[in-house]
Amino acid sequence: MTDASSPAAATIAPFDQAQILARALPYIRKFHGKTMVIKYGGNAMTDPALQKAFAEDVVLLKLVGINPVVVHGGGPQIEGLLKRLGKKGEFIQGMRVTDPETMEVVEWVLGGEVQQDIVGLINQAGGKAVGLTGRDGAMIRAQKLKMLDNTDPTKEHDVGQVGDIVSVDPGVVKALQDDAFIPVVSPIGFGENNESYNINADVVAAKLATVLQAEKLMMLTNISGVLDKQGALMTDLTAQRIDELFADGTISGGMLPKIAGALDAAKSGVNSVHIIDGRVPHVLLLEILTDQAFGTMIRSH
């Protein structure tokens, strides 16, 4: 939302401002009372102007009666602290290998520094954000991820304390929503012996959207959406087409868990899943409150 005193706002005549607001009305009415799960990551998390725009968007959505739930990553921040500690990050098939020392860093960065930065930004923009990890309210129960090799299913990779979600109890999120708060969730789960697990944030966002039966799952990325092998944006993808893109290697690496989670959510009752460009200021408002499509929409069929 542009500040009324900014130069950009000053160039829009009052009549035009009213027209813009009136055009948003059908979308506000359509989505009033609905839940939107937003995976927050990439440039939108590290560029100060984009951080401010994101926080303003989330607060505006809450104020017009939409219920945003933010799930965040923090890969670059984790990598930065590991480097300062003299430890090199290792990835297998897009997942961070998490030994006990790395898990301590993950918990400190995600459940502390990054989460509190986001909570502070939303509060500064006029919202009431509350930070949660999967431990809060026994929200995310997890077990050790069994990662099979993409090319040889008989081979299993040990990625340490990386978690596979067993169950999600959204009670604490619902309680906060009902009391006008904006939940900000760090993707950390816990096991049956109280051990911590690092869980891919895209997977957490998709699962949380499913159990909340969210209207939309919005995944902010550093690209314009899902691209074909020629680099062209694919605006609308079905489950069958995604399977083909997995098979021919168009979707690979870090995009694998993102797309797989998005597809699972679409198949499990989330009305629509959008992979959108977090480098565009106010992309959440553009995607939700206008008829202009940004990024890739994923459908179950």
Side-chain angles (χ1 to χ4, degrees):
M1 196 169 79
T2 304
D3 189 286
S5 62
S6 72
T11 63
I12 304 173
F15 178 80
D16 292 331
Q17 291 184 39
Q19 286 286 92
I20 291 166
L21 291 170
R23 286 177 185 170
L25 180 60
Y27 300 98
I28 294 171
R29 187 164 52 229
K30 180 179 179 181
F31 299 132
H32 190 275
K34 301 290 177 68
T35 294
M36 308 230 173
V37 175
I38 303 157
K39 161 52 193 342
Y40 180 45
N43 279 50
M45 278 186 75
T46 55
D47 178 287
L50 292 173
Q51 288 175 334
K52 185 172 184 289
F54 173 82
E56 290 171 346
D57 287 4
V58 169
V59 171
L60 188 143
L61 292 174
K62 187 69 176 179
L63 289 174
V64 299
I66 296 167
N67 289 316
V69 177
V70 178
V71 178
H72 67 85
Q77 292 90 337
I78 293 168
E79 200 66 29
L81 183 53
L82 287 172
K83 277 183 181 173
R84 292 205 298 274
L85 296 172
K87 193 172 178 67
K88 184 173 171 55
E90 182 187 348
F91 291 84
I92 298 175
Q93 294 177 186
M95 291 287 188
R96 180 185 294 280
V97 177
T98 308
D99 60 19
E101 186 182 19
T102 302
M103 189 67 228
E104 285 186 32
V105 171
V106 168
E107 289 196 90
W108 189 85
V109 172
L110 295 184
E113 178 190 9
V114 172
Q115 183 189 82
Q116 290 308 301
D117 282 349
I118 298 167
V119 166
L121 283 164
I122 292 172
N123 292 347
Q124 191 178 21
K128 294 198 295 182
V130 175
L132 302 168
T133 74
R135 289 184 175 279
D136 293 301
M139 179 167 47
I140 304 172
R141 294 182 184 272
Q143 62 188 11
K144 185 178 172 68
L145 177 70
K146 292 182 178 178
M147 179 178 278
L148 300 180
D149 189 85
N150 283 338
T151 54
D152 180 3
T154 64
K155 182 181 176 185
E156 187 175 315
H157 297 285
D158 185 354
V159 287
Q161 287 177 252
V162 175
D164 191 19
I165 295 174
V166 174
S167 63
V168 174
D169 180 346
V172 66
V173 171
K174 289 181 175 179
L176 288 168
Q177 285 183 321
D178 292 344
D179 209 13
F181 291 102
I182 298 167
V184 177
V185 180
S186 299
I188 297 166
F190 69 99
E192 59 181 15
N193 297 314
N194 200 33
E195 68 275 30
S196 295
Y197 285 107
N198 176 24
I199 307 175
N200 183 281
D202 298 313
V203 174
V204 170
K207 190 69 175 177
L208 193 55
T210 300
V211 298
L212 289 169
Q213 288 296 280
E215 175 72 17
K216 290 179 183 286
L217 168 60
M218 321 279 291
M219 306 178 97
L220 275 67
T221 66
N222 277 349
I223 54 175
S224 53
V226 181
L227 309 178
D228 65 19
K229 284 192 170 178
Q230 285 70 48
L233 177 67
M234 294 180 280
T235 57
D236 194 358
L237 290 176
T238 63
Q240 181 180 349
R241 181 69 181 122
I242 287 170
D243 286 339
E244 293 168 1
L245 295 169
F246 281 154
D248 71 9
T250 301
I251 297 174
S252 61
M255 284 297 281
L256 282 169
K258 190 183 299 289
I259 304 298
L263 182 57
D264 284 346
K267 286 179 174 177
S268 304
V270 176
N271 200 37
S272 59
V273 181
H274 304 261
I275 295 175
I276 56 177
D277 192 344
R279 299 168 301 179
V280 177
H282 298 294
V283 70
L284 287 177
L285 298 187
L286 290 166
E287 179 65 48
I288 296 169
L289 300 182
T290 77
D291 57 7
Q292 177 66 49
F294 282 80
T296 301
M297 184 172 77
I298 294 175
R299 301 180 286 119
S300 61
H301 57 275

